[in-house]
Amino acid sequence: MPRRTPSSGRPKAPPSRGTQPRVGPLSSRLGDVPALNVDELLRDSSVRIMVCCGSGGVGKTTTSAALALRAAEQGRSVVVLTIDPARRLAQSMGLSELDNTPRPVPGIDASADGSLDAMMLDMKRTFDEVVETHAPPDKAAQILRNPFYQALSSSFAGTQEYMAMEKLGQLHAEASRRGRWDLVVVDTPPARSALDFLDAPERLSSFLDGRLIRILLAPAKGPARFLSAGMSLVTNTVTKVLGGQLLKDVQTFVAAFDTLFGGFRSRAEETYRILKDPQTAFLVVASPESDALREAAFFVERLEEEDMPVAGMVLNRVTTSAASGISQQAALAAAERLGEREPLTSALLRLHAERLSRVAREQTLQRRFAAAHPDVATATVPALGTDVHDLESLRNVSALMAA
Amino acid sequence: MPTCRTVLVPIIGRSVAARVGVRRCNNSREDGTQHLGNLDLVTAADASDAVRLHIVTGKGGTGKTTVAAALALALASGGKRVLLCEVEGRQGVASLFDVAPLPYDARRVAVGPDSGEVFALAVDAESALLEYLHMFYRLGRAGKALDRFGVTDFATTIAPGVRDVLLIGKVYESVRRRQHGTAAYDAVVLDAPPTGRIGRFLNVNSEVAGVAKFGPIGSQATSIMEMLTSPRTRAHVVTTLEEMPVQETLDATDELRAVGLRMGSVIVNSARTPELDDADLAAALTSSLDAEKVEQALAESGLGVDQPAVNALLEEATRHAERVELEREQRKRLDDADTPVVTLPYVADGIDLGALYELADQLCASGRF
C-alpha cells in the first residue's frame, strides 16, 4: 500500500499525466522507444529540482553528476547532492573531501556563466543540525545526549532517506531564498526497496505523530485510565522485546522531542509538495538488464501513482555496435569457414556476432519496457570501455547522454 | 507494571520449544547464562566442521542474487537440503527460479544435482516479529492488534538495529533448526544486503548496543554474533571485473573481517574469455591490427565487405581489448588481496534456470564449496 502524506487524505484528483487504461496494447506504436531530450530538460528553467532514482549498481551517482555538470556548463547554477557513501562522486568531481557543505567543483567550464557545487550527505550531522536549529538550546543538548536519539540518527534504516529529503528541502529553500542555485540535482540512497526515500519521511513523521508516542508519553502526561488496557499491552510488549532501558530512553527522547514534532511533520509535507510540483523532474536510472528494468518499471509506476512528475529514464551501459553491415548469422558462418586459417579475422567476426546478440537482447528488453510504459522518454548512454573518475570522462558521459 | 523479567530467548522460530525448551527465567542473569551454557552444549554435540551458513554480498548489479542461487544449487548436489534466504523484499529469488513470490515459509524451488533440494524463504521483519511474539509471549492475535498502535512499525523500522536482528534472527534459527533428529538444512545461503550496507547489517551486536543491550533482543544479538563469527559461517563477495565493484569488494572484505566474520571466496561473475591472443590484444589497443590482412580474409570467407565494415570490426576489437585490459587490472587487484577468487563465466543469453545449473556446476568444480 502506498503511504501518503498526512495532508493527502482528500480524494485523489484524476492522474494528470502518464496513466492510460491498462487494457490491450498500451502503445499503438509497439516497439517505438520515445527519446528523452536531455539538453531541453536541462535548459528548462522552470525545472528547479532533478531527482535521480533507480536500483543499486545502475550508475545513479554518475548520472546525477553528469547531469549537474552539463547543466552547469550550459549556464545554470547547480548544486548536486549525493548520498552514496563510497564517495564516487567525489572522485569523479575531483574533490578530496565531500561533506555536508556544498563546495565548488574545480575545473568546470564557466564560460556560459554557470556554476557547480557538490556535496555528500552526512545524515547524522544533518539530523543534529535540525535538532540544534529547531529546539531550544537546553532541549537540544538533552536530545543529542539521549542514547535512543544517537542510535536513531546514526543507524535507523530510514534516517538516510529522511535526511536526504530534509537536505533537499534545505537546499531548495536556500536556492529560492538567496538565489544561490537555480537547479538542485539529487542522487537518492540505494533503496532497500523501490522509493524508500518517499516513504521514510512519512513513516518517521507518522511514528512521531502517532498513537504509540501518545501512549508512551501518557504516564508523563496525566490520567491514563482511558488508555490503560492498550497502554499496558503496548508498553509490556515494547519492554519484552526491546528491554526496559530502551523504553525509558524512548520516553525521555519523545518528551524532549515533543516540541519538534510539528516542525518535522510540516517539513515532510512541504518536501512532498515540492516533489509533486512541476518544478521537479524525476529521472529513473536503469541499465539494459531485466532486473534493473523491472525495478525501473516499479519506480515509474509508483511515481505516477503519487502524481510525481516523471521526466524520463536514463538507460546506462547500453551495448552498441559499429554499423558494419554484417549480420550475426553471416559473421558466425564466415568465422566458421575461416576457422583456424585466419584466427584473427575469425575472432573479430565472433566478437562482432556476440556484440550483435547483446545489442538485440538489450533492444528487446528496452522495447518491452517501452510497450508497458509508452510515455517514459528514454536517453541511452553507451557502455564505456573505462570507468568514470575525472571531470573529462564525466563530461563525456553527459555528452553521450544528451546525444 | 510488572517488573521487567530477564528473558533469555536465543532463537527465533516455531520449532524451538520442542527442540531445546524455551528458557524463561525470572531470576538473575547468572541463571540465564547457565541456560545459555546448556544450549552451547547442545550445539557442540551437533557440531561438524562443515560450513553451515554462506553469506553472499556484493555491489548492486554484480549478480549477487544469481550467484547466491547458483551456490544454493551447488551445495544441494549430493542429495543435500539447502535453504536460500532473501531479506530485502525484492523477490529476486522467485523471479530467478520462475516461481510465485515467496511467502514467509520455506518452500521448495528447485532440485539440485543428485536429487538434492533447494528451499527458498523471503524473510520480512514484520512476520519475524509476529512469529517471535507468538512463540515467546503467546501474543498471536494480540500481537496483530499491536499494529494499530504502530508498535510493529516502530520495532521493525524505527527502533535502530532491531529490524536487522529480526531478519538475521530468522536466518539464524533456520541454520539451527532440527527435524527428525538432524539439522533441517545441510546449509543455508543468505542473499544478503549489498556491500554498502553489509557491515552494518551483520554487526548486529554493535547496532543494538546502547539501545537494547540488556533486553531479549540484546541476548538474541549476542547469540547471532557467536554464530556469525564461528567457523561454520563464511562470507562471500560477488563482483564483476570493473573498478567500482572491485573497490567495494576489497572494502567489504576488510569490513567483514573487522566485524569478525571469516571470508570464504571472492566470486568474480560474468568473466569473459578474451577472443584475441595477447599479441593481437596489444595491437588492437593501439589500433594497429593488420587491416589489409583482415580485409583479405573477409573476402576469402565469402563476405563481400567494404572498407567501412573492416574499420567497424577493428573498432570493436579495440573496445574488446580495452575491456580485457581493464578486467586484467582488476583481477590483479583481487589476486593480490588475500581472499581466494572463484570465477564464473559471462552467460550470453541472460540468466535462466538452465544457466543457474551451469553456474552451480562451475562453483562445484572450483572445489571451494
Side-chain angles (χ1 to χ4, degrees):
Chain A
M1 278 288 287
R3 291 160 190 275
R4 309 213 168 272
T5 54
S7 65
S8 64
R10 66 192 151 70
K12 201 172 154 186
S16 54
R17 51 147 68 213
T19 40
Q20 300 169 358
R22 293 281 164 96
V23 182
L26 296 180
S27 164
S28 54
R29 309 152 279 119
L30 197 71
D32 283 5
V33 181
L36 172 68
N37 189 330
V38 171
D39 279 340
E40 199 176 283
L41 181 67
L42 294 178
R43 273 195 298 264
D44 182 350
S45 59
S46 71
V47 173
R48 303 179 72 86
I49 296 173
M50 240 177 240
V51 184
C52 296
C53 51
S55 56
V58 293
K60 252 191 325 244
T61 310
T62 309
T63 302
S64 314
L67 286 167
L69 175 65
R70 192 165 182 89
E73 296 194 336
Q74 291 182 357
R76 298 196 67 176
S77 310
V78 187
V79 60
V80 55
L81 166 64
T82 181
I83 288 102
D84 191 72
R87 309 215 161 189
R88 285 174 269 171
L89 184 67
Q91 292 161 9
S92 61
M93 304 197 121
L95 290 180
S96 57
E97 186 191 359
L98 204 56
D99 54 22
N100 221 18
T101 318
R103 293 176 193 283
V105 174
I108 77 152
D109 173 5
S111 59
D113 258 359
S115 66
L116 177 59
D117 292 344
M119 65 167 292
M120 180 170 131
L121 181 77
D122 179 335
M123 68 171 179
K124 173 134 180 61
R125 204 188 298 181
T126 304
F127 210 152
D128 290 354
E129 283 167 6
V130 169
V131 171
E132 283 160 357
T133 313
H134 298 282
D138 56 324
K139 279 267 163 97
Q142 199 187 343
I143 293 169
L144 297 181
R145 268 200 317 272
N146 184 289
F148 177 75
Y149 169 77
Q150 286 170 1
L152 181 74
S153 60
S154 54
S155 76
F156 160 48
T159 303
Q160 199 178 40
E161 285 83 356
Y162 187 90
M163 289 304 138
M165 290 300 106
E166 183 80 36
K167 199 74 193 175
L168 166 61
Q170 290 173 12
L171 290 174
H172 178 69
E174 195 172 343
S176 315
R177 207 169 41 234
R178 300 207 200 135
R180 184 171 169 195
W181 304 293
D182 60 25
L183 179 64
V184 183
V185 179
V186 197
D187 175 29
T188 50
R192 211 174 266 260
S193 58
L195 299 180
D196 264 2
F197 69 94
L198 284 182
D199 294 333
E202 151 69 359
R203 202 179 286 155
L204 190 59
S205 83
S206 80
F207 161 68
L208 294 175
D209 200 37
R211 295 173 75 175
L212 178 60
I213 287 294
R214 276 181 282 139
I215 289 167
L216 292 176
L217 279 174
K221 282 197 163 175
R225 64 203 150 92
F226 299 113
L227 284 168
S228 58
M231 187 184 103
S232 64
L233 175 66
V234 170
T235 51
N236 283 347
T237 307
V238 174
T239 307
K240 278 172 183 170
V241 178
L242 304 174
Q245 184 58 44
L246 175 59
L247 188 62
K248 282 195 203 83
D249 289 343
V250 172
Q251 280 169 335
T252 29
F253 166 74
V254 165
F257 212 72
D258 202 18
T259 51
L260 294 183
F261 290 165
F264 263 81
R265 199 178 56 246
S266 65
R267 281 196 305 281
E269 282 171 18
E270 175 65 9
T271 307
Y272 252 71
R273 194 193 59 72
I274 295 170
L275 290 178
K276 285 190 179 196
D277 195 276
Q279 67 179 313
T280 301
F282 279 89
L283 281 169
V284 177
V285 186
S287 61
E289 284 143 42
S290 50
D291 288 355
L293 282 169
R294 194 174 55 234
E295 293 269 317
F298 285 141
F299 278 78
V300 167
E301 284 159 19
R302 176 68 200 282
L303 288 168
E304 286 180 348
E305 201 179 316
E306 302 268 345
D307 289 338
M308 303 273 176
V310 180
M313 177 164 80
V314 174
L315 199 61
N316 284 324
R317 305 200 191 117
V318 175
T319 307
T320 51
S321 171
S324 70
I326 307 173
S327 76
Q328 189 187 346
Q329 289 77 4
L332 284 176
E336 185 107 336
R337 283 197 295 277
L338 289 173
E340 289 308 304
R341 278 184 297 127
E342 292 289 344
L344 170 61
T345 308
S346 310
L348 294 185
L349 288 166
R350 280 197 304 275
L351 276 176
H352 179 64
E354 192 214 17
R355 190 173 274 267
L356 288 181
S357 126
R358 299 183 74 192
V359 169
R361 188 161 49 87
E362 291 177 4
Q363 282 175 349
T364 305
L365 289 170
Q366 209 187 333
R367 267 198 306 272
R368 283 186 196 155
F369 180 90
H373 302 94
D375 298 324
V376 180
T378 300
T380 56
V381 184
L384 299 168
T386 50
D387 284 326
V388 171
H389 30 41
D390 58 17
L391 213 55
E392 192 48 48
S393 54
L394 194 59
R395 199 171 278 134
N396 181 31
V397 171
S398 70
L400 290 168
M401 198 181 293
Chain B
M1 207 169 84
T3 53
C4 167
R5 284 178 301 175
T6 306
V7 185
L8 278 173
V9 276
I11 328 170
I12 290 177
R14 62 192 61 209
S15 58
V16 169
R19 200 185 329 155
V20 290
V22 179
R23 310 286 186 180
R24 285 180 174 225
C25 104
N26 293 306
N27 308 324
S28 63
R29 287 189 59 77
E30 282 77 14
D31 275 355
T33 313
Q34 220 168 4
H35 289 310
L36 260 187
N38 289 344
L39 269 177
D40 282 346
L41 285 179
V42 174
T43 321
D46 304 329
S48 74
D49 291 339
V51 176
R52 299 284 313 287
L53 174 59
H54 295 267
I55 296 169
V56 181
T57 181
K59 179 172 161 29
T62 55
K64 178 173 69 67
T65 304
T66 305
V67 171
L71 180 57
L73 279 175
L75 292 168
S77 61
K80 299 281 175 46
R81 287 164 63 90
V82 179
L83 178 69
L84 175 59
C85 292
E86 71 171 317
V87 291
E88 298 227 283
R90 294 161 57 107
Q91 291 291 346
V93 170
S95 72
L96 263 182
F97 285 97
D98 202 12
V99 295
L102 297 169
Y104 185 67
D105 284 310
R107 91 170 21 170
R108 196 172 78 167
V109 291
V111 285
D114 309 320
S115 75
E117 292 173 296
V118 176
F119 297 80
L121 167 67
V123 186
D124 68 275
E126 290 77 9
S127 305
L129 177 65
L130 289 178
E131 186 182 18
Y132 180 92
L133 293 175
H134 178 71
M135 271 313 301
F136 297 110
Y137 309 110
R138 308 215 164 75
L139 271 180
R141 263 166 299 171
K144 285 196 181 113
L146 291 174
D147 238 358
R148 286 189 292 117
F149 293 98
V151 173
T152 41
D153 223 25
F154 170 73
T156 56
T157 60
I158 291 165
V162 172
R163 182 188 183 88
D164 291 345
V165 178
L166 288 166
L167 294 174
I168 306 178
K170 179 67 183 173
V171 175
Y172 169 84
E173 184 271 327
S174 303
V175 174
R176 298 174 52 123
R177 177 179 290 210
R178 301 183 66 80
Q179 196 174 315
H180 312 306
T182 57
Y185 301 107
D186 296 292
V188 174
V189 178
L190 170 61
D191 178 13
T195 37
R197 288 200 298 271
I198 190 66
R200 189 186 287 170
F201 178 76
L202 293 176
N203 199 3
V204 287
N205 246 353
S206 77
E207 259 208 90
V208 297
V211 287
K213 203 179 258 169
F214 302 114
I217 287 274
S219 322
Q220 172 95 8
T222 306
S223 312
I224 292 170
M225 224 45 223
E226 274 170 29
M227 168 177 283
L228 293 181
T229 55
S230 81
R232 302 168 91 195
T233 300
R234 287 284 187 283
H236 310 286
V237 187
V238 180
T239 186
T240 50
L241 290 174
E242 290 161 289
E243 191 178 331
M244 284 169 186
V246 166
Q247 185 57 50
E248 288 198 17
T249 297
L250 297 174
D251 293 345
T253 51
D254 289 347
E255 201 181 349
L256 289 167
R257 285 202 174 98
V259 175
L261 269 86
R262 286 153 218 254
M263 286 304 302
S265 304
V266 165
I267 302 171
V268 170
N269 192 23
S270 297
R272 293 192 217 178
T273 340
E275 286 280 355
L276 304 175
D277 63 30
D278 283 358
D280 284 343
L281 283 173
L285 269 184
T286 52
S287 301
S288 51
L289 284 170
D290 190 341
E292 254 172 56
K293 195 175 164 214
V294 171
E295 195 172 353
Q296 255 173 16
L298 284 177
E300 195 187 320
S301 77
L303 281 174
V305 290
D306 48 8
Q307 195 58 45
V310 174
N311 290 343
L313 288 182
L314 293 174
E315 167 70 21
E316 288 179 1
T318 304
R319 293 284 92 77
H320 176 67
E322 283 170 358
R323 172 86 203 176
V324 169
E325 192 188 45
L326 185 78
E327 292 195 358
R328 284 180 175 169
E329 279 168 22
Q330 299 307 321
R331 178 173 289 279
K332 184 163 185 324
R333 292 176 73 198
L334 293 175
D335 288 340
D336 289 348
D338 48 6
T339 312
V341 179
V342 172
T343 305
L344 292 176
Y346 168 71
V347 179
D349 294 316
I351 299 289
D352 57 10
L353 199 49
L356 277 185
Y357 280 100
E358 280 175 33
L359 295 177
D361 206 41
Q362 298 272 341
L363 289 172
C364 286
S366 74
R368 298 243 352 124
F369 301 98

